[in-house]
């Protein structure tokens, strides 16, 4: 029975990769995958993310049921156990397929349309690669390399869902990337909860994996996804050599979360502020134009005014190019949820604003350094207001007005910097 199905994904690259696979497997089973809800649809699959709280996902479910009262609804994605009764309160007979069970999406959908809602939530340790996919972006191959992590971060709900590190076999990852290249991908996004601890459960490591990836023939770039400081430190020399390779974007995403050691200890993060600073200094010395992305949580329980300003000072010192700022929110069943010394909401908001203002200035200063840079960019996204967006070797977001297509390589000169991106003029069309 071929019905129209809309799949909406949220959250991190790994979850979007799941969404692409869900679409690919359903299309293979002769369901019609539509990409917007203006079309006549019979089913919506919400591939949710709950890392920052449950409310957003519960509201998305309610909104979808209001908008499409006659549709089947399947909830997939990062669904913590405690959320299932809340989902069932919204509508009793909803099908639930969590991130571990996406390979069974076809049978779950078939059972659902025959009025037999499913609940597939058992944790699985199976690689979610070499699956048929409908990519959200035809030139970007999102390649998950593992599931879970080795962390015990006290605020984190992802660990409760994804569990302990399960690294995928390197030969399967290489096969996946070769398929992506054959299918026209120009960017390979290596992704995981923590790419830097890859292989620690199967007697290998991220450096050995990247060495194999960089031997693959073809014209493509590799973006290494986020890795935690303690594991990046273990692989420092090898990661620097790998990132120096022309195929690697000079981009490092390394979440620090706080600039205060007592707060890092309370978060159960396994490194110190000095460890983090040393790593950044070493990368910036070896690759001066590297783009540094990091994450900060403001308002963690017990964080004093002084400790908050230690985070501000750290950001002012290391001057990241990208900063993901999160306001602490207690996640059910996490260790931090039981902490008594919580900071009030207004104060957390105030700290988030101060951190944002601090970073906005740094982001503009960092981008201004690229003024007059000229070189090649890969067009990988449609921009706003008729513009196109591309990335240079340092994965800097560069906006151009000229006519070109996703996948094109063009030579540009940076004319202007903003806190978000760089604005450029095209000098030359290089190739498609
Ligand atoms: S490393 Fe920490 S924050 Fe990241 S997924 Fe694991 S437990 Fe969560």
């Amino acid at each position: 029975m071929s019905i129209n199905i809309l799949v909406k994904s949220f959250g991190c690259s790994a979850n979007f990769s799941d969404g692409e696979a869900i679409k690919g497997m359903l299309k293979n089973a002769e369901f019609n995958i539509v990409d917007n809800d203006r079309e006549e649809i019979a089913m919506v699959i919400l591939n949710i993310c709950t890392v920052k709280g449950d409310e957003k996902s519960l509201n998305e479910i309610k909104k979808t049921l209001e908008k499409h009262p006659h549709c089947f609804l399947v909830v997939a994605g990062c669904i913590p156990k405690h959320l299932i009764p809340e989902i069932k309160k919204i509508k009793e007979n909803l099908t639930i397929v969590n991130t571990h069970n996406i390979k069974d999406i076809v049978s779950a959908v078939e059972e659902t349309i025959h009025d037999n809602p499913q609940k597939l939530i058992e944790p699985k340790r199976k690689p979610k690669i070499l699956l048929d996919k409908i990519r959200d972006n035809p030139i970007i191959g999102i390649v998950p390399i593992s599931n879970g992590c080795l962390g015990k971060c006290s605020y984190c709900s992802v660990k409760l869902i994804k569990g302990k590190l399960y690294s995928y076999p390197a030969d399967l990852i290489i096969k996946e990337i070769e398929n992506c290249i054959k299918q026209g991908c120009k960017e390979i996004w290596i992704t995981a909860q923590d790419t830097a601890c890859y292989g620690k459960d199967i007697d290998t490591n991220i450096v050995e994996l990247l060495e194999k990836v960089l031997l693959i023939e073809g014209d493509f770039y590799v973006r290494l996804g986020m890795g935690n400081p303690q594991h990046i430190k273990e692989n420092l020399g090898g990661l620097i050599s790998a990132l120096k390779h022309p195929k690697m974007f000079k981009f490092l995403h390394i979440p620090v979360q706080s600039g205060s050691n007592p707060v890092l200890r309370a978060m159960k993060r396994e490194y110190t502020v000095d460890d983090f600073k040393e790593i950044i200094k070493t990368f910036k010395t070896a690759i001066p134009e590297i783009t540094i992305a990091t994450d900060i949580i403001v308002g963690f329980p017990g964080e004093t005014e002084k400790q908050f300003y230690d985070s501000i000072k750290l950001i002012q010192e290391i001057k990241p190019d990208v900063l993901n700022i999160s306001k602490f929110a207690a996640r059910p069943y996490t260790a931090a949820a039981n902490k008594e010394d919580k900071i009030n909401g207004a104060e957390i908001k105030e700290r988030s604003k101060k951190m944002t203002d601090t970073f906005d200035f740094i982001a503009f200063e960092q981008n201004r350094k690229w003024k007059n840079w000229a070189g090649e960019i890969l067009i990988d996204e449609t921009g706003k207001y008729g513009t196109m967006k591309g990335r240079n070797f340092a994965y800097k977001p560069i906006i151009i007005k000229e006519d070109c297509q996703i996948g094109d390589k063009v030579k540009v000169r940076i004319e202007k910097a903003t806190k978000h991106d760089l604005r450029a003029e095209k000098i030359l069309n290089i190739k498609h």
Side-chain angles (χ1 to χ4, degrees), residues 410-429:
V410 291
K411 192 154 187 208
V412 299
R413 179 187 311 284
I414 307 290
E415 305 289 322
K416 190 173 160 245
T418 76
K419 64 180 177 187
H420 301 298
D421 52 41
L422 303 168
R423 309 294 162 90
E425 296 281 327
K426 185 163 79 176
I427 304 172
L428 183 72
N429 239 343

PDB file of all heavy atoms in Angstrom, residues 410-429:
ATOM      1  N   VAL A 410      33.742  27.298  -6.507  1.00  0.00           N
ATOM      2  CA  VAL A 410      33.976  28.621  -7.109  1.00  0.00           C
ATOM      3  C   VAL A 410      35.095  29.329  -6.352  1.00  0.00           C
ATOM      4  O   VAL A 410      35.329  29.043  -5.179  1.00  0.00           O
ATOM      5  CB  VAL A 410      32.684  29.493  -7.071  1.00  0.00           C
ATOM      6  CG1 VAL A 410      31.630  28.959  -8.008  1.00  0.00           C
ATOM      7  CG2 VAL A 410      32.140  29.597  -5.669  1.00  0.00           C
ATOM      8  N   LYS A 411      35.779  30.208  -7.050  1.00  0.00           N
ATOM      9  CA  LYS A 411      36.838  30.997  -6.404  1.00  0.00           C
ATOM     10  C   LYS A 411      36.236  32.329  -5.986  1.00  0.00           C
ATOM     11  O   LYS A 411      35.521  32.961  -6.780  1.00  0.00           O
ATOM     12  CB  LYS A 411      38.005  31.197  -7.367  1.00  0.00           C
ATOM     13  CG  LYS A 411      39.231  31.757  -6.656  1.00  0.00           C
ATOM     14  CD  LYS A 411      40.543  31.430  -7.316  1.00  0.00           C
ATOM     15  CE  LYS A 411      41.651  31.903  -6.380  1.00  0.00           C
ATOM     16  NZ  LYS A 411      42.869  32.249  -7.106  1.00  0.00           N
ATOM     17  N   VAL A 412      36.471  32.714  -4.734  1.00  0.00           N
ATOM     18  CA  VAL A 412      35.844  33.940  -4.217  1.00  0.00           C
ATOM     19  C   VAL A 412      36.863  34.814  -3.500  1.00  0.00           C
ATOM     20  O   VAL A 412      37.966  34.358  -3.170  1.00  0.00           O
ATOM     21  CB  VAL A 412      34.716  33.599  -3.216  1.00  0.00           C
ATOM     22  CG1 VAL A 412      33.623  32.774  -3.863  1.00  0.00           C
ATOM     23  CG2 VAL A 412      35.276  32.923  -1.965  1.00  0.00           C
ATOM     24  N   ARG A 413      36.452  36.067  -3.270  1.00  0.00           N
ATOM     25  CA  ARG A 413      37.236  36.956  -2.387  1.00  0.00           C
ATOM     26  C   ARG A 413      36.296  37.465  -1.316  1.00  0.00           C
ATOM     27  O   ARG A 413      35.171  37.888  -1.614  1.00  0.00           O
ATOM     28  CB  ARG A 413      37.811  38.147  -3.168  1.00  0.00           C
ATOM     29  CG  ARG A 413      38.623  39.107  -2.274  1.00  0.00           C
ATOM     30  CD  ARG A 413      39.032  40.358  -3.029  1.00  0.00           C
ATOM     31  NE  ARG A 413      39.623  40.022  -4.300  1.00  0.00           N
ATOM     32  CZ  ARG A 413      40.880  39.537  -4.426  1.00  0.00           C
ATOM     33  NH1 ARG A 413      41.610  39.310  -3.360  1.00  0.00           N
ATOM     34  NH2 ARG A 413      41.368  39.235  -5.608  1.00  0.00           N
ATOM     35  N   ILE A 414      36.746  37.400  -0.048  1.00  0.00           N
ATOM     36  CA  ILE A 414      35.897  37.845   1.057  1.00  0.00           C
ATOM     37  C   ILE A 414      35.861  39.375   1.072  1.00  0.00           C
ATOM     38  O   ILE A 414      36.907  40.023   1.151  1.00  0.00           O
ATOM     39  CB  ILE A 414      36.420  37.328   2.409  1.00  0.00           C
ATOM     40  CG1 ILE A 414      36.625  35.806   2.388  1.00  0.00           C
ATOM     41  CG2 ILE A 414      35.493  37.765   3.540  1.00  0.00           C
ATOM     42  CD1 ILE A 414      35.396  34.982   2.329  1.00  0.00           C
ATOM     43  N   GLU A 415      34.633  39.904   0.990  1.00  0.00           N
ATOM     44  CA  GLU A 415      34.455  41.362   0.986  1.00  0.00           C
ATOM     45  C   GLU A 415      34.066  41.879   2.358  1.00  0.00           C
ATOM     46  O   GLU A 415      34.397  42.984   2.730  1.00  0.00           O
ATOM     47  CB  GLU A 415      33.332  41.730  -0.006  1.00  0.00           C
ATOM     48  CG  GLU A 415      33.534  41.200  -1.410  1.00  0.00           C
ATOM     49  CD  GLU A 415      34.669  41.934  -2.137  1.00  0.00           C
ATOM     50  OE1 GLU A 415      34.781  43.153  -1.942  1.00  0.00           O
ATOM     51  OE2 GLU A 415      35.475  41.253  -2.821  1.00  0.00           O
ATOM     52  N   LYS A 416      33.324  41.056   3.110  1.00  0.00           N
ATOM     53  CA  LYS A 416      32.747  41.567   4.358  1.00  0.00           C
ATOM     54  C   LYS A 416      32.603  40.441   5.371  1.00  0.00           C
ATOM     55  O   LYS A 416      32.442  39.282   4.981  1.00  0.00           O
ATOM     56  CB  LYS A 416      31.346  42.126   4.008  1.00  0.00           C
ATOM     57  CG  LYS A 416      30.665  42.903   5.088  1.00  0.00           C
ATOM     58  CD  LYS A 416      29.380  43.549   4.551  1.00  0.00           C
ATOM     59  CE  LYS A 416      28.467  43.891   5.719  1.00  0.00           C
ATOM     60  NZ  LYS A 416      27.215  43.122   5.703  1.00  0.00           N
ATOM     61  N   ALA A 417      32.708  40.787   6.659  1.00  0.00           N
ATOM     62  CA  ALA A 417      32.513  39.794   7.711  1.00  0.00           C
ATOM     63  C   ALA A 417      31.307  40.199   8.540  1.00  0.00           C
ATOM     64  O   ALA A 417      31.047  41.382   8.733  1.00  0.00           O
ATOM     65  CB  ALA A 417      33.741  39.717   8.614  1.00  0.00           C
ATOM     66  N   THR A 418      30.550  39.204   8.993  1.00  0.00           N
ATOM     67  CA  THR A 418      29.508  39.463   9.983  1.00  0.00           C
ATOM     68  C   THR A 418      29.818  38.522  11.145  1.00  0.00           C
ATOM     69  O   THR A 418      30.708  37.675  11.039  1.00  0.00           O
ATOM     70  CB  THR A 418      28.088  39.141   9.463  1.00  0.00           C
ATOM     71  OG1 THR A 418      27.927  37.708   9.479  1.00  0.00           O
ATOM     72  CG2 THR A 418      27.881  39.659   8.037  1.00  0.00           C
ATOM     73  N   LYS A 419      29.046  38.595  12.247  1.00  0.00           N
ATOM     74  CA  LYS A 419      29.337  37.684  13.354  1.00  0.00           C
ATOM     75  C   LYS A 419      28.937  36.254  12.998  1.00  0.00           C
ATOM     76  O   LYS A 419      29.437  35.297  13.570  1.00  0.00           O
ATOM     77  CB  LYS A 419      28.649  38.146  14.640  1.00  0.00           C
ATOM     78  CG  LYS A 419      27.137  38.136  14.614  1.00  0.00           C
ATOM     79  CD  LYS A 419      26.549  38.618  15.940  1.00  0.00           C
ATOM     80  CE  LYS A 419      25.028  38.663  15.813  1.00  0.00           C
ATOM     81  NZ  LYS A 419      24.388  39.277  16.987  1.00  0.00           N
ATOM     82  N   HIS A 420      28.072  36.108  12.006  1.00  0.00           N
ATOM     83  CA  HIS A 420      27.591  34.761  11.646  1.00  0.00           C
ATOM     84  C   HIS A 420      28.373  34.122  10.510  1.00  0.00           C
ATOM     85  O   HIS A 420      28.538  32.908  10.463  1.00  0.00           O
ATOM     86  CB  HIS A 420      26.123  34.829  11.211  1.00  0.00           C
ATOM     87  CG  HIS A 420      25.229  35.380  12.259  1.00  0.00           C
ATOM     88  ND1 HIS A 420      25.058  34.757  13.479  1.00  0.00           N
ATOM     89  CD2 HIS A 420      24.488  36.506  12.298  1.00  0.00           C
ATOM     90  CE1 HIS A 420      24.221  35.488  14.208  1.00  0.00           C
ATOM     91  NE2 HIS A 420      23.876  36.548  13.514  1.00  0.00           N
ATOM     92  N   ASP A 421      28.799  34.957   9.535  1.00  0.00           N
ATOM     93  CA  ASP A 421      29.391  34.379   8.315  1.00  0.00           C
ATOM     94  C   ASP A 421      30.263  35.395   7.591  1.00  0.00           C
ATOM     95  O   ASP A 421      30.516  36.490   8.101  1.00  0.00           O
ATOM     96  CB  ASP A 421      28.273  33.888   7.385  1.00  0.00           C
ATOM     97  CG  ASP A 421      27.247  35.001   7.140  1.00  0.00           C
ATOM     98  OD1 ASP A 421      27.667  36.160   6.957  1.00  0.00           O
ATOM     99  OD2 ASP A 421      26.033  34.698   7.157  1.00  0.00           O
ATOM    100  N   LEU A 422      30.724  35.013   6.403  1.00  0.00           N
ATOM    101  CA  LEU A 422      31.552  35.882   5.568  1.00  0.00           C
ATOM    102  C   LEU A 422      30.813  36.125   4.263  1.00  0.00           C
ATOM    103  O   LEU A 422      30.132  35.217   3.756  1.00  0.00           O
ATOM    104  CB  LEU A 422      32.894  35.204   5.301  1.00  0.00           C
ATOM    105  CG  LEU A 422      33.686  34.811   6.544  1.00  0.00           C
ATOM    106  CD1 LEU A 422      34.844  33.883   6.193  1.00  0.00           C
ATOM    107  CD2 LEU A 422      34.208  36.052   7.262  1.00  0.00           C
ATOM    108  N   ARG A 423      30.905  37.349   3.723  1.00  0.00           N
ATOM    109  CA  ARG A 423      30.244  37.683   2.464  1.00  0.00           C
ATOM    110  C   ARG A 423      31.302  37.850   1.389  1.00  0.00           C
ATOM    111  O   ARG A 423      32.309  38.527   1.637  1.00  0.00           O
ATOM    112  CB  ARG A 423      29.418  38.963   2.610  1.00  0.00           C
ATOM    113  CG  ARG A 423      28.459  38.962   3.812  1.00  0.00           C
ATOM    114  CD  ARG A 423      27.367  37.927   3.640  1.00  0.00           C
ATOM    115  NE  ARG A 423      26.677  37.589   4.883  1.00  0.00           N
ATOM    116  CZ  ARG A 423      25.593  38.204   5.360  1.00  0.00           C
ATOM    117  NH1 ARG A 423      25.095  39.248   4.693  1.00  0.00           N
ATOM    118  NH2 ARG A 423      25.024  37.800   6.449  1.00  0.00           N
ATOM    119  N   ALA A 424      31.091  37.224   0.252  1.00  0.00           N
ATOM    120  CA  ALA A 424      32.151  37.213  -0.770  1.00  0.00           C
ATOM    121  C   ALA A 424      31.617  37.519  -2.153  1.00  0.00           C
ATOM    122  O   ALA A 424      30.417  37.429  -2.408  1.00  0.00           O
ATOM    123  CB  ALA A 424      32.814  35.834  -0.778  1.00  0.00           C
ATOM    124  N   GLU A 425      32.558  37.881  -3.005  1.00  0.00           N
ATOM    125  CA  GLU A 425      32.275  38.060  -4.438  1.00  0.00           C
ATOM    126  C   GLU A 425      32.924  36.894  -5.179  1.00  0.00           C
ATOM    127  O   GLU A 425      34.032  36.477  -4.815  1.00  0.00           O
ATOM    128  CB  GLU A 425      32.935  39.351  -4.943  1.00  0.00           C
ATOM    129  CG  GLU A 425      32.409  40.622  -4.321  1.00  0.00           C
ATOM    130  CD  GLU A 425      31.065  41.046  -4.953  1.00  0.00           C
ATOM    131  OE1 GLU A 425      30.909  40.785  -6.156  1.00  0.00           O
ATOM    132  OE2 GLU A 425      30.222  41.555  -4.204  1.00  0.00           O
ATOM    133  N   LYS A 426      32.248  36.392  -6.197  1.00  0.00           N
ATOM    134  CA  LYS A 426      32.847  35.318  -6.988  1.00  0.00           C
ATOM    135  C   LYS A 426      33.927  35.897  -7.893  1.00  0.00           C
ATOM    136  O   LYS A 426      33.729  36.936  -8.498  1.00  0.00           O
ATOM    137  CB  LYS A 426      31.782  34.629  -7.830  1.00  0.00           C
ATOM    138  CG  LYS A 426      32.299  33.423  -8.599  1.00  0.00           C
ATOM    139  CD  LYS A 426      31.205  32.516  -9.084  1.00  0.00           C
ATOM    140  CE  LYS A 426      30.520  33.020 -10.333  1.00  0.00           C
ATOM    141  NZ  LYS A 426      29.512  32.046 -10.847  1.00  0.00           N
ATOM    142  N   ILE A 427      35.067  35.248  -7.939  1.00  0.00           N
ATOM    143  CA  ILE A 427      36.147  35.659  -8.856  1.00  0.00           C
ATOM    144  C   ILE A 427      36.053  34.770 -10.101  1.00  0.00           C
ATOM    145  O   ILE A 427      36.157  35.225 -11.215  1.00  0.00           O
ATOM    146  CB  ILE A 427      37.527  35.473  -8.204  1.00  0.00           C
ATOM    147  CG1 ILE A 427      37.637  36.230  -6.874  1.00  0.00           C
ATOM    148  CG2 ILE A 427      38.625  35.899  -9.156  1.00  0.00           C
ATOM    149  CD1 ILE A 427      38.919  35.922  -6.116  1.00  0.00           C
ATOM    150  N   LEU A 428      35.823  33.461  -9.865  1.00  0.00           N
ATOM    151  CA  LEU A 428      35.907  32.525 -11.005  1.00  0.00           C
ATOM    152  C   LEU A 428      35.105  31.272 -10.706  1.00  0.00           C
ATOM    153  O   LEU A 428      35.057  30.838  -9.558  1.00  0.00           O
ATOM    154  CB  LEU A 428      37.386  32.141 -11.136  1.00  0.00           C
ATOM    155  CG  LEU A 428      37.820  31.236 -12.285  1.00  0.00           C
ATOM    156  CD1 LEU A 428      37.763  32.010 -13.593  1.00  0.00           C
ATOM    157  CD2 LEU A 428      39.249  30.736 -12.046  1.00  0.00           C
ATOM    158  N   ASN A 429      34.469  30.732 -11.762  1.00  0.00           N
ATOM    159  CA  ASN A 429      33.835  29.420 -11.632  1.00  0.00           C
ATOM    160  C   ASN A 429      34.930  28.369 -11.787  1.00  0.00           C
ATOM    161  O   ASN A 429      35.676  28.415 -12.761  1.00  0.00           O
ATOM    162  CB  ASN A 429      32.822  29.232 -12.793  1.00  0.00           C
ATOM    163  CG  ASN A 429      31.449  28.993 -12.220  1.00  0.00           C
ATOM    164  OD1 ASN A 429      31.321  28.667 -11.043  1.00  0.00           O
ATOM    165  ND2 ASN A 429      30.452  29.198 -13.035  1.00  0.00           N
TER     166      ASN A 429
END
